[in-house]
Amino acid sequence: MEETYLLNVEGVKKKILHGGQGELPKLQDGSKITFHFQTLKDDFERTVIDDSREAGIPMEIIMGKMFKLEIWETLLSSMRVGEVAEFWCDAIHTGMYALVSRGMRRIAEGRDPLEGQKHRCGMGNMFDYHSTGYDDLDELQQTPQPLIFIMELFRVEEPSAYKRDTWAMSKEEKLAAVPVLHSEGNRLVLRKEFGQAAAKYQEAVICLRNLQTKEKPWEDGWLKLEGLVTPLVLNYCQCQLELGEYYEVLEHTTELLQKHNDNAKAYFKRAKAHAAVWNEREAREDFLQVAHLDPSMAAAVKKELKQLGERMRKKHVEDRKRYQGLFQPPSGP
């Protein structure tokens, strides 16, 4: 007979369906927990609402990272690896389930889980929208009720035991990751693996931009981070030039120059991208700006302008030939 346990949390009961192994894992902020879950209504039929096995991918959460359904951390903290347990949770713990389930279902469908949401807290989003897009979740949202969660715990990984996604890192971890990613990107550039190098630079930029959102723009903390961002963006743009992604370079260098209009390297890379897509006037203006800002690059600018002139002349000749053939009157019978 299954025994019911109390977790010293009001409105929660637990039944162990299958015993786990070893001691209770020592969970800490940053621990990654991997598990399967099934959510049921507390009705006669025990109606199934969600089942992670149907998606074929187990659920993962990071401890201490503000998962919207906080009670799940409590439930999982009471389990051993390999254990299967059933938890009954009162409505005081399940009010956010409709929103959480909506996000998980959208991910399983390959859609953006935040699609259509305003930049507000989860509870605010629940009140902003009359429908989640799923009838059963709309019912839960309108009438909060107790739910049953059946969970199977697969593994618990300490923060140092797995590669953490950027969003799951603390401020200190992000700052420590940036020089490592920068170095890895440089190493990949030397091996001419520009696509992989660009991904490393981009990940480092994301870390820093995330930290910048916690600072006031143009104050010391923000400026210090911006000083780390700029060379990473320039390295990323150089990789995109090598890959032929010229419009990507135009977008990022223009954004950079809107904040730092004296950056000669950004003008140089943007000029190269303009030249590659036949924007002759814009390329010349940017190259001349480079020579004005950094006289040491004058020789490189002169070489680029010469190459640009030769390419444009060749293009004009080819265009004239093409148009002449297009509009030439047909020959005799």
Side-chain angles (χ1 to χ4, degrees):
M1 182 178 178
E2 297 160 348
E3 189 174 353
T4 300
Y5 298 88
L6 299 177
L7 300 184
N8 295 322
V9 177
E10 183 183 356
V12 177
K13 298 176 185 177
K14 174 183 177 180
K15 289 180 183 177
I16 296 177
L17 306 183
H18 183 279
Q21 304 159 358
E23 301 295 323
L24 284 173
K26 294 180 180 179
L27 301 178
Q28 56 183 304
D29 282 359
S31 294
K32 182 165 75 171
I33 308 173
T34 305
F35 60 100
H36 266 309
F37 75 93
Q38 191 178 50
T39 305
L40 305 91
K41 285 186 178 181
D42 184 23
D43 57 13
F44 182 77
E45 296 83 6
R46 290 169 62 94
T47 306
V48 176
I49 300 172
D50 289 307
D51 188 340
S52 62
R53 285 182 175 79
E54 290 185 359
I57 304 172
M59 180 73 179
E60 293 179 350
I61 65 172
I62 308 295
M63 289 290 290
K65 293 302 176 183
M66 300 298 288
F67 184 66
K68 289 187 177 69
L69 203 63
E70 294 179 14
I71 192 61
W72 274 16
E73 290 191 5
T74 302
L75 306 184
L76 291 163
S77 298
S78 74
M79 299 179 68
R80 292 173 169 78
V81 174
E83 180 179 322
V84 182
E86 176 180 310
F87 300 92
W88 178 92
C89 295
D90 199 353
I92 59 173
H93 300 296
T94 62
M96 294 294 291
Y97 185 79
L99 186 65
V100 172
S101 177
R102 175 182 183 270
M104 292 189 294
R105 291 184 188 187
R106 284 179 173 272
I107 291 171
E109 294 165 4
R111 299 162 66 190
D112 181 358
L114 301 179
E115 179 185 332
Q117 285 192 21
K118 299 177 182 177
H119 186 63
R120 294 183 58 184
C121 69
M123 189 63 74
N125 276 310
M126 286 186 71
F127 288 116
D128 271 339
Y129 298 93
H130 298 294
S131 175
T132 62
Y134 304 93
D135 292 341
D136 57 341
L137 299 183
D138 287 345
E139 179 192 342
L140 290 180
Q141 185 168 301
Q142 293 163 10
T143 311
Q145 56 194 268
L147 294 175
I148 296 168
F149 302 111
I150 299 177
M151 295 177 161
E152 179 179 3
L153 180 60
F154 291 135
R155 61 180 173 272
V156 175
E157 298 170 87
E158 295 182 2
S160 60
Y162 65 95
K163 185 180 183 303
R164 303 178 70 184
D165 293 327
T166 300
W167 65 266
M169 293 180 179
S170 67
K171 177 182 178 179
E172 292 72 23
E173 288 168 335
K174 287 185 175 77
L175 287 172
V178 167
V180 175
L181 292 166
H182 198 158
S183 178
E184 289 177 354
N186 294 345
R187 178 177 55 81
L188 290 164
V189 166
L190 292 175
R191 292 164 54 180
K192 298 189 182 301
E193 297 177 14
F194 299 111
Q196 294 181 48
K200 295 294 183 182
Y201 295 136
Q202 186 178 45
E203 188 175 351
V205 170
I206 290 170
C207 284
L208 294 170
R209 291 294 190 211
N210 183 272
L211 292 174
Q212 274 188 311
T213 62
K214 313 289 193 302
E215 304 286 345
K216 290 185 178 180
W218 304 105
E219 292 195 356
D220 289 345
W222 188 94
L223 288 170
K224 185 177 180 180
L225 293 168
E226 186 68 15
L228 298 174
V229 167
T230 299
L232 288 164
V233 172
L234 291 172
N235 287 0
Y236 174 82
C237 288
Q238 184 60 43
C239 290
Q240 297 303 324
L241 281 174
E242 299 287 350
L243 295 168
E245 299 290 345
Y246 304 119
Y247 290 102
E248 181 90 354
V249 177
L250 291 176
E251 177 185 347
H252 289 284
T253 50
T254 299
E255 182 182 350
L256 190 63
L257 288 167
Q258 287 171 350
K259 290 184 283 189
H260 310 286
N261 60 5
D262 59 347
N263 193 302
K265 291 182 178 179
Y267 277 112
F268 190 79
K269 295 184 193 304
R270 190 171 74 170
K272 296 268 287 184
H274 275 309
V277 295
W278 308 104
N279 296 337
E280 181 180 11
R281 179 179 61 80
E282 292 87 346
R284 288 188 181 279
E285 288 177 355
D286 279 353
F287 278 131
L288 292 174
Q289 186 70 5
V290 172
H292 171 71
L293 291 169
D294 188 352
S296 69
M297 297 182 71
V301 167
K302 184 177 179 181
K303 180 181 177 182
E304 292 290 342
L305 287 171
K306 182 180 178 182
Q307 291 178 351
L308 175 62
E310 291 172 353
R311 288 182 69 240
M312 296 307 301
R313 279 192 292 274
K314 184 177 179 181
K315 182 176 185 295
H316 292 327
V317 170
E318 292 174 351
D319 287 346
R320 279 200 300 272
K321 288 181 180 179
R322 188 179 301 113
Y323 294 138
Q324 284 172 358
L326 188 63
F327 296 109
Q328 216 170 31
S331 56

